[in-house]
Amino acid sequence: MVNRTLMQVFDWREPIQMLYNQSGVLIGMTHVMLPYMVLTLLASMSRVPPQLVPAARTLGAGPLRAFTNVFLPLTMPGVLAGVMMTFIFRWASLSCLPSWAARSKRQL
């Protein structure tokens, strides 16, 4: 379904190979790891008091400055926790990938 859509939208002549290569692994690992990062960020962002960013705006900060000086530093522990958790899961899965790829190639 993805290949058909990409071929129609971009007028490609042949489908993209998404199995048994790096792009397939990247898509699969993103699909698995994204919820861990999103849930960690959501928990971190929900702990920021909602009055702080509007208070910074009323004190003269623009939207970008209010985000970078108020919101981002308060959510940074959640960002770091999410990055560390997804990195550890990714690092652990790298030890399994060569054996899966070798097994898959033999079955073809």
Side-chain angles (χ1 to χ4, degrees), residues 25 29 32-33 83-100:
V25 171
M29 289 183 72
V32 170
M33 302 296 171
V83 167
M84 285 175 49
M85 190 164 49
T86 54
F87 177 76
I88 289 169
F89 284 149
R90 185 188 176 285
W91 191 262
S93 67
L94 282 178
S95 63
C96 301
L97 287 176
S99 63
W100 292 343

Coordinates of all heavy atoms in Angstrom, one line a residue, residues 25 29 32-33 83-100:
V25 N 14.4 -1.6 8.4 CA 14.7 -1.7 9.8 C 14.4 -0.3 10.5 O 13.9 -0.2 11.6 CB 16.2 -2.1 10.0 CG1 16.6 -1.9 11.5 CG2 16.4 -3.5 9.6
M29 N 11.8 0.2 13.4 CA 12.3 0.6 14.8 C 11.6 1.9 15.1 O 11.3 2.2 16.3 CB 13.8 0.7 14.8 CG 14.4 -0.7 14.8 SD 16.2 -0.6 14.9 CE 16.4 -0.1 16.5
V32 N 8.2 1.1 16.4 CA 8.2 0.5 17.8 C 8.6 1.6 18.8 O 8.1 1.6 19.9 CB 9.2 -0.7 17.8 CG1 9.4 -1.2 19.2 CG2 8.6 -1.8 16.9
M33 N 9.6 2.4 18.6 CA 10.2 3.3 19.6 C 9.4 4.6 19.8 O 9.6 5.2 20.8 CB 11.7 3.6 19.2 CG 12.6 2.5 19.1 SD 12.7 1.6 20.6 CE 13.6 0.2 20.1
V83 N 15.0 10.2 25.2 CA 16.1 9.9 24.3 C 16.9 8.7 24.8 O 17.3 7.8 24.1 CB 17.0 11.1 24.1 CG1 18.3 10.8 23.5 CG2 16.3 12.2 23.3
M84 N 17.2 8.7 26.1 CA 18.0 7.6 26.7 C 17.2 6.3 26.6 O 17.8 5.3 26.3 CB 18.3 7.9 28.2 CG 19.3 9.0 28.4 SD 19.6 9.5 30.1 CE 19.8 7.9 30.9
M85 N 15.9 6.3 26.9 CA 15.2 5.1 26.8 C 15.1 4.5 25.4 O 15.4 3.3 25.2 CB 13.7 5.3 27.3 CG 13.0 4.0 27.5 SD 11.5 4.2 28.5 CE 10.7 5.6 27.8
T86 N 14.9 5.4 24.4 CA 14.8 4.9 23.0 C 16.2 4.4 22.6 O 16.4 3.5 21.8 CB 14.2 5.9 22.1 OG1 15.0 7.1 22.2 CG2 12.8 6.1 22.4
F87 N 17.3 5.2 23.0 CA 18.6 4.8 22.6 C 19.0 3.4 23.2 O 19.6 2.6 22.5 CB 19.6 5.8 23.1 CG 21.0 5.5 22.8 CD1 21.6 5.6 21.5 CD2 21.9 5.0 23.8 CE1 22.9 5.2 21.3 CE2 23.2 4.6 23.5 CZ 23.7 4.8 22.3
I88 N 18.6 3.2 24.5 CA 18.9 1.9 25.1 C 18.2 0.8 24.4 O 18.7 -0.3 24.1 CB 18.6 1.9 26.6 CG1 19.6 2.8 27.3 CG2 18.6 0.5 27.2 CD1 19.3 3.2 28.7
F89 N 16.9 1.0 24.1 CA 16.1 -0.1 23.4 C 16.7 -0.3 22.0 O 16.8 -1.5 21.5 CB 14.7 0.3 23.2 CG 13.9 0.2 24.5 CD1 12.8 1.0 24.7 CD2 14.2 -0.8 25.4 CE1 12.0 0.9 25.9 CE2 13.4 -0.9 26.6 CZ 12.4 0.0 26.8
R90 N 17.1 0.7 21.3 CA 17.7 0.6 20.0 C 19.1 -0.1 20.1 O 19.3 -1.0 19.3 CB 17.9 2.0 19.3 CG 18.4 1.8 17.9 CD 18.8 3.2 17.4 NE 19.4 3.1 16.1 CZ 20.6 2.7 15.8 NH1 21.4 2.3 16.7 NH2 21.0 2.7 14.5
W91 N 19.9 0.2 21.1 CA 21.2 -0.4 21.2 C 21.0 -1.9 21.5 O 21.7 -2.7 21.0 CB 21.9 0.3 22.3 CG 23.4 -0.1 22.4 CD1 23.9 -1.1 23.2 CD2 24.4 0.3 21.6 NE1 25.2 -1.2 23.0 CE2 25.6 -0.4 22.0 CE3 24.5 1.3 20.5 CZ2 26.8 -0.1 21.4 CZ3 25.7 1.5 20.0 CH2 26.8 0.8 20.4
A92 N 20.0 -2.2 22.3 CA 19.8 -3.7 22.7 C 19.3 -4.4 21.5 O 19.6 -5.6 21.3 CB 18.8 -3.7 23.8
S93 N 18.5 -3.8 20.6 CA 18.0 -4.5 19.4 C 19.0 -4.7 18.4 O 18.9 -5.5 17.5 CB 16.8 -3.7 18.8 OG 17.2 -2.5 18.3
L94 N 20.1 -3.9 18.4 CA 21.2 -4.1 17.4 C 21.9 -5.4 17.5 O 22.4 -5.9 16.5 CB 22.2 -2.9 17.5 CG 21.8 -1.6 16.9 CD1 22.9 -0.6 17.2 CD2 21.5 -1.7 15.4
S95 N 21.9 -6.0 18.7 CA 22.5 -7.3 18.8 C 21.7 -8.4 18.2 O 22.2 -9.4 17.8 CB 22.8 -7.6 20.3 OG 21.5 -7.6 21.0
C96 N 20.4 -8.2 18.1 CA 19.5 -9.2 17.5 C 19.4 -9.1 16.0 O 19.1 -10.0 15.3 CB 18.1 -9.0 18.1 SG 18.1 -9.2 19.9
L97 N 19.6 -7.9 15.5 CA 19.3 -7.7 14.0 C 20.2 -8.5 13.1 O 19.7 -9.1 12.1 CB 19.5 -6.2 13.7 CG 18.4 -5.3 14.2 CD1 18.7 -3.8 13.9 CD2 17.1 -5.7 13.6
P98 N 21.5 -8.7 13.3 CA 22.3 -9.5 12.4 C 21.8 -11.0 12.4 O 21.7 -11.6 11.3 CB 23.7 -9.5 13.0 CG 23.7 -8.2 13.7 CD 22.4 -8.0 14.3
S99 N 21.3 -11.5 13.5 CA 20.8 -12.9 13.5 C 19.5 -13.0 12.7 O 19.2 -13.9 12.0 CB 20.7 -13.4 14.9 OG 19.8 -12.7 15.6
W100 N 18.6 -11.9 12.9 CA 17.4 -11.9 12.2 C 17.6 -11.8 10.7 O 16.9 -12.5 9.9 CB 16.5 -10.8 12.7 CG 16.0 -10.9 14.1 CD1 15.9 -12.1 14.8 CD2 15.4 -9.9 14.9 NE1 15.4 -11.8 16.0 CE2 15.1 -10.5 16.1 CE3 15.2 -8.6 14.7 CZ2 14.5 -9.7 17.1 CZ3 14.7 -7.8 15.7 CH2 14.3 -8.4 16.9

